[in-house]
Amino acid sequence: MTETALVMEGIDKRFPGVHALKGVDLRVGRGQVMGIVGENGAGKSTLIKVLAGAYRSDDGRIVVDGEPLEAGSPADSLAAGIAVIYQELSLVPEMSVAENLFLGDMPSRGPLLDRREARTRARRLLARVGLDNLSTGAPVRSLRLGVRQLLEVAKALHRDARILVMDEPTSALQSSEIQVLFDVVRDLRQEGISVIYISHHLEEVFEICDAATVMRDGAVVGSRPINEWTTESLVQAMVNKRLDSLFPSRERELGEVALEVKNLSLEPRVRDVSFSVRRGEILGLAGVVGAGRTETLKTIAGVTPATGGEILVKGQGRKIRTVSEGLDSGIVYVPEDRGTEGIIHSASINENMILSVLDRISRAGFVDGGRYRSFGQRLRERFGVRASSLKQEAGLLSGGNQQKVVLARAMATEPSVVLLDEPTRGIDVGAKSEIYEHVLEIAAGGGAVVMVSSEFPELLGMADRIVVLRGGRVVGEISSAEADQEKILEYATSGTEENGAETDGEEG
Amino acid sequence: MAEKRAAGAEPGKEQAQQGGSGRRGIGGILARSLTGTGPILAAWILLCVVLALVAPNFLEFDNFTQIVVQSAVIGIAAVGMTFVIITAGIDLSVGSIVALTGMLAAISMQGGVPGFVGILVALGAGLLIGAFNGFSTTYFGITPFIVTLAVLSMGRGLTLAVSSGQTVFGFPASFTFVGQAEILGVSLLVWLTLAVFAIGYFVLSRTVFGHQVYAIGGNREAARLAGIPVRRVSFLVYAISGLCAGLSAVVLTSRLNSALPSAAEGLELQVIAAVVIGGTSLFGGRGSMGGTLVGVLLIGTLNNGLTLLNVPPFWVQFVQGVVIFLAVLVDALNRRRESRAG
């Protein structure tokens, strides 16, 4: 590594309520493969979006090959030779390989498309990513995910990308496909193309990267050549112990088993998942993105009916195929994404909170106005929703207050099992500690809580026990006494030999 | 911060809501049902004032009941349409449902059935077609726009087929009384229209079903995760819309004492316009029956006033278009201000 290809300096980005990037510096050499690691929410994706021009940073500058980049739009970044391959691929499934490669600039002669020229050029591009045998006319929909990933790379090469960003490129790939991808990355490095490689899988980072940068809480906490890192030191750097004091301790008594799932499956995302939770217990579900955590919770709650396995509530087998059957069984799910799955923006706070208990505040189908308001008032006080009025539109609340509203809606159903999916994502520290208080109160009141969180300190601070998922399967269970972040990460990212073999067999 | 700004953004609305919920009785209900319709209500009153000044006879009581009578067909269909649009759906088939169900009622009465059976035929057929719309969108997942567009065409075609393109007329008095009877000196159609609006208002704002309608339009996935039977509710709103269109057909057919194959052509657009002018968002989640009533009255008053002023009919259509545009513009500007505040 001799020349510097990319410099990002003092990149700062704020969203309402969140300081997403705090003066981030990043330097990538020509022909260097730079790994970026960090917990979910550390700021990796935001940083990449700034680089791609999808977000405009509030402060800082970007220099590409010595030229300052006025990153304001995706087109500017593309023109500067920066190509980003997101987890959700941007190919058009109904179009052919060649059409996808030249999307927006098909070779043409006058007003007519030049199909022969397109084929020739497509062949050349495909050869560079090891897809010599791929038919340029094949519809993308017929290709395996690994091939599509390589196609994205070829597309970037067509745009003369000199800096290629790959966001979790292997999350849906089989191990043989991963090796092909790595070979291509090595070739690109030879050609002098720089690669920014974002991954949760530390073993991949060690295999393919020349250097690794660790992000935490929106800042870079370390950037070194790969041979100066060890798995332990990387994990140590990723982990954040600052939040420990946030978790209040509270005496809780564990009662009988409230929820038990046996061999629960939602093919192909959840496979043979078994665990149980007691009254008063908080069970943490850990795993990387795509490990099947959200899917597991949604299956238990009846959002997506299970394809196999059993759900027992207080020892009794339950058929749960819809949300209302879940609610009838005393199971409530609090979704991960407030904006799209939780809050009804146009409705009032009151309306949002009583949505799941309309039948309880009505008689013969008519909503009792008095009970409607008193229910809302009680819930608002219990969960400390800060707003000028219960009639205020919920969409105008801050993230923390929206989360309280969604939690209030769930708790209004008086559930015995509460499934929380990333309950504090994207809210500020103050609101977080309030949410923690509520969760502990739910458990102290005899509720059984299953909590998915990508923030390890949160899991460690809250959970009595942690079940780790990988590739839709349970790969480990750790009690709070022996749990630490290194151990969870180890299970979540590398698993054991036989587990690795199992996930390899997965079809994408 | 965001909360304060938001509350400050629409102080009038906030006060209106609080004032409304405090009062009881007819006045309180009226106040509540008109909540949030401020700008359009003001526009209607302004229009009335202007017409009172320039148009002779406008302020007469008979003229006002005439406006409602002339608005009855659009108004009753608009009640059903309000439900549909609040769920973020659309029903393009109401015009052809009116034509088909009116024609079916007319033909069956020609065949000798009594008037009340003719009414039931129209209502039943409307309900069935609405149910077909609802079933196709919710269980087959076809976009409402496409389903109801197809049904629009099917309905119009069937109407022409069953009538052989002929107008059918001459009905028993037990049917025509709907369009001609008076109660307390006021046309039955006025009472009927107001009753349908009152029922629509109560169902929408006071029942579990009504709350579910708003929730689905506001955020379908969130409503599903909250345990709301999204499919059943979506199905029902189209059935309701079909039923309302059937009632509109009874009104139209009895008033004209004839059923035309080309009846109510383009009615769906006027109905949608009335609902949108009344402040119901095409994106779903927002809207009110009171707003729709004012929207219907505004269109009716406009037509009436322009007629009183002897404005040529093609200008009437132009002015209607301008009003729709202004109403949607106000909605869009409000929306933009809100999203900036949030």
Side-chain angles (χ1 to χ4, degrees):
Chain A
M1 162 196 157
T2 46
E3 287 171 77
T4 303
L6 169 73
V7 179
M8 295 180 85
E9 234 173 42
I11 304 293
D12 215 87
K13 179 75 191 168
R14 283 171 192 273
F15 295 109
V18 184
H19 196 169
L21 293 176
K22 302 166 184 165
V24 170
D25 296 329
L26 181 71
R27 189 172 288 268
V28 182
R30 186 180 308 284
Q32 188 184 38
V33 181
M34 169 64 81
I36 297 185
V37 297
E39 295 179 86
N40 295 343
K44 295 169 294 183
S45 299
T46 312
L47 183 68
I48 291 321
K49 286 191 173 150
V50 168
L51 184 59
Y55 291 158
R56 192 186 288 269
S57 64
D58 299 331
D59 202 5
R61 62 188 198 116
I62 300 174
V63 180
V64 181
D65 287 331
E67 295 279 320
L69 167 69
E70 293 300 328
S73 73
D76 293 338
S77 293
L78 263 178
I82 297 165
V84 180
I85 302 175
Y86 292 104
Q87 264 170 287
E88 306 82 26
L89 302 182
S90 62
L91 301 170
V92 184
E94 300 308 321
M95 290 188 173
S96 74
V97 167
E99 282 168 332
N100 267 286
L101 283 176
F102 305 119
L103 201 62
D105 65 338
M106 265 304 250
S108 58
R109 218 180 303 156
L112 298 174
L113 296 180
D114 187 346
R115 292 193 180 277
R116 184 175 308 172
E117 172 70 13
R119 249 194 319 271
T120 324
R121 276 208 250 162
R123 289 246 166 73
R124 261 201 313 265
L125 282 169
L126 291 175
R128 283 174 76 189
V129 296
L131 292 175
D132 309 68
N133 297 323
L134 186 65
S135 154
T136 56
V140 161
R141 135 176 70 76
S142 69
L143 306 177
R144 281 181 306 133
L145 272 174
V147 177
R148 293 190 203 181
Q149 191 88 45
L150 294 172
L151 206 53
E152 284 275 10
V153 177
K155 200 170 140 187
L157 293 176
H158 165 61
R159 299 235 162 101
D160 288 325
R162 280 163 299 151
I163 297 165
L164 189 62
V165 184
M166 305 174 107
D167 189 2
E168 293 284 349
T170 61
S171 58
L173 300 192
Q174 300 176 20
S175 63
S176 58
E177 294 176 319
I178 294 175
Q179 284 315 315
V180 175
L181 180 72
F182 282 0
D183 287 341
V184 170
V185 170
R186 290 190 190 101
D187 288 346
L188 296 178
R189 176 164 56 188
Q190 289 300 316
E191 295 181 32
I193 291 171
S194 311
V195 178
I196 294 177
Y197 190 91
I198 298 170
S199 181
H200 279 295
H201 300 273
L202 300 186
E203 73 275 12
E204 292 176 4
V205 172
F206 279 103
E207 184 175 347
I208 192 70
C209 296
D210 305 311
T213 297
V214 181
M215 290 189 70
R216 191 176 73 204
D217 281 342
V220 167
V221 292
S223 186
R224 296 183 224 159
I226 200 69
N227 53 22
E228 293 176 24
W229 287 108
T230 61
T231 309
E232 290 69 40
S233 64
L234 264 186
V235 169
Q236 207 93 62
M238 285 163 67
V239 150
N240 177 2
K241 292 192 166 149
R242 226 170 18 79
L243 281 170
D244 284 357
S245 57
L246 263 176
F247 307 104
S249 63
R250 187 169 294 195
E251 276 303 305
R252 273 181 283 132
E253 256 178 50
L254 302 194
E256 75 272 25
V257 172
L259 169 75
E260 185 173 9
V261 296
K262 288 182 181 167
N263 304 67
L264 190 73
S265 294
L266 177 73
E267 293 293 345
R269 313 292 297 275
V270 179
R271 295 172 167 190
D272 276 338
V273 167
S274 302
F275 59 80
S276 64
V277 207
R278 297 175 173 282
R279 281 169 55 90
E281 189 180 27
I282 300 176
L283 176 74
L285 269 192
V288 299
V289 172
R293 299 167 302 174
T294 295
E295 291 81 358
T296 301
L297 292 193
K298 283 191 170 177
T299 307
I300 298 171
V303 180
T304 48
T307 55
E310 285 179 77
I311 300 168
L312 292 85
V313 180
K314 291 176 182 161
Q316 292 205 314
R318 297 281 194 159
K319 282 250 174 296
I320 300 176
R321 286 152 309 185
T322 65
V323 175
S324 47
E325 283 176 351
L327 291 175
D328 290 344
S329 307
I331 299 174
V332 72
Y333 169 69
V334 182
E336 163 183 31
D337 190 334
R338 280 185 303 280
T340 61
E341 299 185 329
I343 281 289
I344 294 176
H345 298 254
S346 54
S348 70
I349 295 168
N350 203 141
E351 187 73 26
N352 265 284
M353 291 196 297
I354 54 82
L355 217 50
S356 293
V357 290
L358 275 168
D359 53 337
R360 283 189 215 178
I361 56 167
S362 59
R363 218 166 295 148
F366 278 86
V367 175
D368 180 329
R371 297 185 67 192
Y372 175 87
R373 281 186 291 274
S374 65
F375 235 83
Q377 198 55 47
R378 267 208 309 278
L379 286 168
R380 178 192 176 179
E381 275 161 24
R382 177 172 165 199
F383 289 92
V385 179
R386 276 185 288 277
S388 54
S389 151
L390 272 172
K391 288 176 178 160
Q392 195 181 321
E393 275 187 24
L396 300 170
L397 292 174
S398 67
N401 275 307
Q402 287 188 354
Q403 188 63 23
K404 289 181 210 164
V405 169
V406 177
L407 195 60
R409 177 196 301 161
M411 294 315 294
T413 65
E414 295 170 13
S416 53
V417 177
V418 183
L419 311 174
L420 301 173
D421 200 350
E422 303 282 2
T424 67
R425 170 167 292 175
I427 64 181
D428 57 43
V429 177
K432 269 186 186 177
S433 72
E434 286 181 66
I435 299 287
Y436 296 147
E437 284 281 359
H438 291 307
V439 174
L440 288 168
E441 201 178 294
I442 291 165
V449 177
V450 183
M451 184 169 100
V452 163
S453 175
S454 297
E455 293 189 29
F456 293 119
E458 181 172 298
L459 275 182
L460 291 167
M462 299 287 294
D464 302 302
R465 215 156 31 97
I466 293 169
V467 166
V468 187
L469 296 180
R470 179 177 157 90
R473 293 175 193 276
V474 175
V475 291
E477 182 176 325
I478 318 168
S479 74
S480 68
E482 59 186 39
D484 57 36
Q485 295 166 346
E486 289 80 355
K487 200 165 270 169
I488 299 174
L489 259 185
E490 209 178 289
Y491 276 118
T493 57
S494 45
T496 55
E497 267 307 299
E498 72 259 45
N499 289 322
E502 279 170 14
T503 45
D504 281 349
E506 215 173 300
E507 192 52 54
Chain B
M1 265 313 278
E3 291 146 37
K4 284 210 181 99
R5 257 180 296 160
E10 274 184 287
K13 188 176 169 187
E14 192 70 21
Q15 278 165 14
Q17 283 181 343
Q18 272 161 0
S21 61
R23 261 184 286 160
R24 296 202 164 269
I26 301 274
I29 290 172
L30 257 181
R32 266 198 302 280
S33 64
L34 294 175
T35 295
T37 63
I40 184 66
L41 189 60
W44 181 55
I45 292 170
L46 185 70
L47 179 67
C48 287
V49 169
V50 171
L51 286 176
L53 291 177
V54 299
N57 314 330
F58 176 77
L59 270 185
E60 283 170 21
F61 182 73
D62 278 350
N63 189 48
F64 268 102
T65 60
Q66 197 53 37
I67 290 174
V68 181
V69 166
Q70 283 166 350
S71 306
V73 173
I74 292 179
I76 291 170
V79 170
M81 187 70 82
T82 305
F83 282 95
V84 173
I85 293 183
I86 290 178
T87 65
I90 195 86
D91 187 350
L92 296 176
S93 65
V94 290
S96 81
I97 295 181
V98 168
L100 178 59
T101 58
M103 187 58 75
L104 289 176
I107 290 173
S108 49
M109 285 184 291
Q110 290 261 295
V113 306
F116 79 92
V117 176
I119 292 172
L120 288 180
V121 165
L123 296 182
L127 186 66
L128 269 178
I129 302 171
F132 177 83
N133 281 334
F135 190 81
S136 308
T137 57
T138 55
Y139 290 88
F140 297 133
I142 316 172
T143 327
F145 187 94
I146 302 298
V147 168
T148 58
L149 186 64
V151 169
L152 179 158
S153 190
M154 290 193 266
R156 189 61 67 182
L158 271 181
T159 310
L160 286 164
V162 296
S163 66
S164 311
Q166 302 295 310
T167 301
V168 179
F169 50 87
F171 308 127
S174 57
F175 182 79
T176 50
F177 84 95
V178 176
Q180 283 149 13
E182 290 192 351
I183 299 178
L184 303 175
V186 176
S187 163
L188 176 62
L189 291 183
V190 174
W191 298 111
L192 183 66
T193 306
L194 293 180
V196 171
F197 266 100
I199 294 169
Y201 167 72
F202 275 102
V203 172
L204 192 56
S205 62
R206 299 292 184 83
T207 65
V208 171
F209 174 75
H211 284 255
Q212 292 172 333
V213 166
Y214 278 104
I216 289 172
N219 186 337
R220 208 177 181 79
E221 190 56 19
R224 190 169 82 91
L225 291 186
I228 287 173
V230 173
R231 279 186 174 185
R232 192 169 72 208
V233 173
S234 312
F235 167 79
L236 283 173
V237 294
Y238 288 95
I240 290 173
S241 179
L243 181 65
C244 287
L247 187 55
S248 279
V250 172
V251 168
L252 183 68
T253 314
S254 65
R255 240 187 75 205
L256 300 177
N257 198 9
S258 59
L260 286 73
S262 63
E265 232 161 10
L267 179 79
E268 57 278 350
L269 297 181
Q270 284 188 297
V271 170
I272 292 167
V275 173
V276 171
I277 288 175
T280 296
S281 166
L282 284 171
F283 298 104
R286 295 166 206 265
S288 70
M289 211 47 90
T292 298
L293 178 60
V294 180
V296 168
L297 288 177
L298 186 78
I299 289 189
T301 308
L302 201 62
N303 289 346
N304 174 270
L306 296 175
T307 312
L308 288 182
L309 293 173
N310 290 321
V311 175
F314 29 86
W315 282 106
V316 175
Q317 201 165 5
F318 173 77
V319 174
Q320 258 186 28
V322 171
V323 169
I324 294 168
F325 177 78
L326 288 178
V328 179
L329 184 69
V330 168
D331 183 49
L333 292 178
N334 271 338
R335 192 172 281 282
R336 218 158 70 182
R337 195 181 55 188
E338 268 172 33
S339 69
R340 231 180 281 143

